[in-house]
Amino acid sequence: MKSLTTGSLATHESEHDNYKEQSLRGYLRDGTSANHQRVDEQFARFNLNDRHDYISFLSAHARALLPIEAALDQQGAHRIIPEWSARRRSDMLCADLNRLNAEIPPSLAAPQLKSDAQIWGAAYVLEGSKLGGAFLAKGVPDNFPTSFLTPNMAKGSMKLFMDSLDRADVDHPVEALGAAAAVFGLFLQAARLERERLVS
Ligand code: HEM
């Protein structure tokens, strides 16, 4: 299976054919693996043992996650995503920043999320990022707040999301891929911004 990246979004027809050969999750995972690698590399540069770095790490997430969750709220994500409101983590992120006496940073501009396909694509990235979060939380000192990295998810909630994603019969899967890539792009932009602020 050809790996799809943001750069190959022009070939809509062949991507749709790829989608038909696999699940929507598989299509999104393959299509954004290079994007994931880039955000992973940027976020791995924060030293989560260090208070300043940890605040920057959370602030980078806030710059991207808050506007995306707000956009998903506005577009009625609850219509199609099971337990959408329980999946949101904006409040946890703000609570952790508050506990660290850090300000909530300004939001970046969220990508357009209008169609159901775009909603699924964006939600896939946010939901998937919880997998990395659980892994990263192990490196955070006990005295730092981690409600964002370790949200109290109902048992089986990730599987429920991924199964629903696979059952979602979206008309234009390429729109889901475009939204997922755009959301990854926003996280990358946020991480770079916070890295620059840390070193300046
Ligand atoms: C240092 C930062 C990160 C690390 C170490 C990391 C690590 C991981 C790991 C280990 C998984 C696979 C877990 C599993 O299969 O059980 C995963 C999945 C995923 N991560 Fe990350 N991640 C990071 C940051 C992010 C960020 C910032 C995002 C998005 C904003 C993200 C989005 C995703 C997505 C969408 C998946 C699911 C892929 C699939 O469909 O299986 N990750 N990550």
Side-chain angles (χ1 to χ4, degrees):
M1 178 70 56
K2 179 168 75 80
S3 176
L4 303 171
T5 64
T6 325
S8 67
L9 284 176
T11 55
H12 289 188
E13 204 170 308
S14 63
E15 281 170 9
H16 194 274
D17 289 346
N18 281 341
Y19 164 62
K20 283 187 286 187
E21 292 166 20
Q22 60 178 347
S23 67
L24 183 53
R25 182 204 184 164
Y27 172 70
L28 293 177
R29 185 174 43 209
D30 287 357
T32 59
S33 63
N35 309 61
H36 183 266
Q37 200 177 333
R38 281 192 286 272
V39 294
D40 182 341
E41 278 163 14
Q42 276 299 321
F43 279 104
R45 297 172 69 191
F46 294 95
N47 172 7
L48 304 187
N49 273 303
D50 178 90
R51 193 172 176 280
H52 285 296
D53 264 43
Y54 186 55
I55 289 174
S56 290
F57 169 88
L58 291 179
S59 299
H61 278 84
R63 286 176 191 276
L65 183 115
L66 267 52
I68 293 165
E69 286 194 345
L72 287 169
D73 285 345
Q74 272 167 18
Q75 295 307 321
H78 65 275
R79 285 183 296 110
I80 55 170
I81 295 171
E83 293 143 22
W84 162 244
S85 64
R87 296 184 186 280
R88 300 174 80 270
R89 286 177 297 164
S90 292
D91 292 349
M92 297 167 202
L93 193 42
C94 292
D96 287 350
L97 283 167
N98 282 333
R99 272 183 227 127
L100 291 159
N101 294 321
E103 287 182 14
I104 311 301
S107 291
L108 294 170
Q112 202 180 59
L113 305 173
K114 288 225 156 84
S115 65
D116 285 5
Q118 288 172 328
I119 290 173
W120 275 115
Y124 162 75
V125 179
L126 297 189
E127 209 54 26
S129 73
K130 292 176 183 171
L131 296 167
F135 169 79
L136 293 172
K138 292 176 191 155
V140 179
D142 289 345
N143 57 332
F144 290 177
T146 55
S147 63
F148 168 70
L149 286 178
T150 55
N152 266 332
M153 287 163 49
K155 200 165 181 287
S157 132
M158 181 67 68
K159 183 175 183 325
L160 175 65
F161 176 88
M162 294 300 179
D163 287 351
S164 306
L165 176 69
D166 278 343
R167 277 197 307 271
D169 190 19
V170 303
D171 290 336
H172 302 291
V174 73
E175 284 185 15
L177 181 61
V183 168
F184 269 116
L186 209 66
F187 276 89
L188 187 61
Q189 189 187 342
R192 286 185 174 146
L193 198 77
E194 285 295 333
R195 291 298 318 163
E196 280 165 20
R197 287 164 61 90
L198 260 184
V199 294
S200 65

